[in-house]
Amino acid sequence: MNVQIVVTGGTGFIGRAVVAALVTRGDQVCVITRDPVAARAHIPAAASVEGWSAREAWAERVRESDAVIHLAGEGVADGRWTEERLSRMRSSRVETTEALAEVIAGAPRKPAWVSGSAVGIYGMRKDDDVLDEQAPPGQGVLAEICVAWEGATAAARRAGARVAIARTGIALGPDGGALARMLPAFKAFAGGPIGDGAQWLSWIHLADAVRGLLFALDTPGFEGPFNLTAPKPVTMNQFARELARALHRPCLMRVPGVALKIALGEGLAETLLTGQRAVPALLERAAFGFQFEELGRALGDLLHR
């Protein structure tokens, strides 16, 4: 069966892996992107491309599709949180989601939709509370953006589309994301925890993140917000020790919070000095099988494959 799937954010860290997995399993994939020419360097030749500016063209592809995976959004950690960047972070998520929701709502046959969000919806926290999908939104700019991001799917949900919303944690992969930013310091024998190290990291191996998104896409009746995280979150202190162990390096240095705020700015630094202890209750209840539940095993796979 030739399944037609539209993907936004298909040139991003997780998106590239999702597109590759869909093409490998034989789906017909269309990537909607703001830069169609540049996208060709990041996606398989078998996938087609539509430009976001050509609304009628991509809207027709969405209406004809069996499913949509929406991962578009400006990177949270790509620079200081100026007013302009915060505005782009919000609009690149909320406005694109609203546009997709409108098209899906008007489609004669509603495609299944997996839309992006993040564990940042629970707020930038310093407590040890375990957060499943029933936990309320927290405080702060990321939580506010995530609430608006998830709310932007409303038109499609009201029209009867099945919408699953992936609250993604920190995805760990071999060639990008948070792990790539941490590796140079640890490899240079200068790695260690950020701040006091007590903050929680809700991590997930990139392979499980992709499998979780496809599970949500393929499973009838699976809908609503779900935490796309590994079952066993860790503190920053634990993460630093496991990464050092996997690299056979010491874990002696610590990045002071004050230095981080000077280097990155108050807003971005605060996201690294706080965290969320999120758990994937809905995925586990639906009998999704994680390949990497333990951080040590995940890092071993990523660093020594």
Side-chain angles (χ1 to χ4, degrees):
M1 181 178 178
N2 190 12
V3 179
Q4 298 184 61
I5 300 179
V6 167
V7 180
T8 73
T11 61
F13 174 54
I14 297 177
R16 293 195 304 272
V18 167
V19 171
L22 291 171
V23 169
T24 297
R25 74 179 195 175
D27 294 332
Q28 184 177 327
V29 181
C30 174
V31 174
I32 301 175
T33 176
R34 294 187 184 278
D35 191 340
V37 175
R40 272 288 159 217
H42 301 287
I43 63 174
S48 62
V49 177
E50 293 286 357
W52 180 256
S53 60
R55 180 180 171 111
E56 282 308 311
W58 68 252
E60 186 61 26
R61 299 299 293 268
V62 169
R63 286 190 288 266
E64 294 174 349
S65 71
D66 298 291
V68 176
I69 300 179
H70 177 44
L71 303 174
E74 178 151 340
V76 170
D78 290 349
R80 283 176 174 263
W81 285 9
T82 62
E83 288 297 323
E84 182 183 358
R85 280 211 74 245
L86 287 173
S87 178
R88 291 201 307 268
M89 282 164 52
R90 190 183 195 282
S91 63
S92 65
R93 289 163 171 78
V94 178
E95 292 177 10
T96 57
T97 304
E98 288 175 339
L100 279 170
E102 181 183 346
V103 173
I104 291 171
R109 179 178 60 89
K110 309 291 187 290
W113 185 12
V114 178
S115 193
S117 184
V119 294
I121 196 168
Y122 302 118
M124 295 184 286
R125 307 170 67 113
K126 296 184 179 180
D127 57 51
D128 295 327
D129 292 353
V130 178
L131 306 165
D132 65 13
E133 292 84 355
Q134 299 303 311
Q139 303 295 316
V141 64
L142 286 185
E144 292 168 4
I145 289 174
C146 287
V147 168
W149 193 4
E150 295 187 9
T153 64
R157 289 186 279 112
R158 285 195 300 265
R162 178 173 70 86
V163 182
I165 300 174
R167 293 174 174 172
T168 307
I170 299 170
L172 304 178
D175 57 357
L179 185 60
R181 291 186 174 97
M182 298 178 187
L183 285 176
F186 278 86
K187 288 182 176 180
F189 294 84
I194 295 172
D196 64 13
Q199 68 272 38
W200 285 90
L201 277 70
S202 297
W203 63 276
I204 187 168
H205 190 296
L206 180 60
D208 276 339
V210 173
R211 291 178 58 250
L213 290 167
L214 269 56
F215 179 86
L217 193 75
D218 297 338
T219 304
F222 191 91
E223 58 187 326
F226 67 100
N227 290 340
L228 189 60
T229 62
K232 298 180 180 179
V234 298
T235 65
M236 171 57 75
N237 283 327
Q238 292 170 316
F239 186 93
R241 286 196 298 269
E242 288 291 348
L243 181 54
R245 183 179 296 115
L247 291 169
H248 308 292
R249 296 290 194 273
C251 182
L252 302 176
M253 308 297 287
R254 187 176 293 274
V255 182
V258 172
L260 203 65
K261 291 177 181 180
I262 293 172
L264 303 178
E266 187 83 23
L268 179 54
E270 195 64 19
T271 67
L272 302 176
L273 297 169
T274 58
Q276 306 84 21
R277 191 181 184 181
V279 294
L282 289 188
L283 281 175
E284 292 192 301
R285 197 176 305 150
F288 174 74
F290 286 88
Q291 292 181 338
F292 301 95
E293 295 191 6
E294 303 281 350
L295 177 62
R297 183 166 178 266
L299 291 174
D301 176 75
L302 293 168
L303 299 174
H304 304 299
R305 59 176 55 189

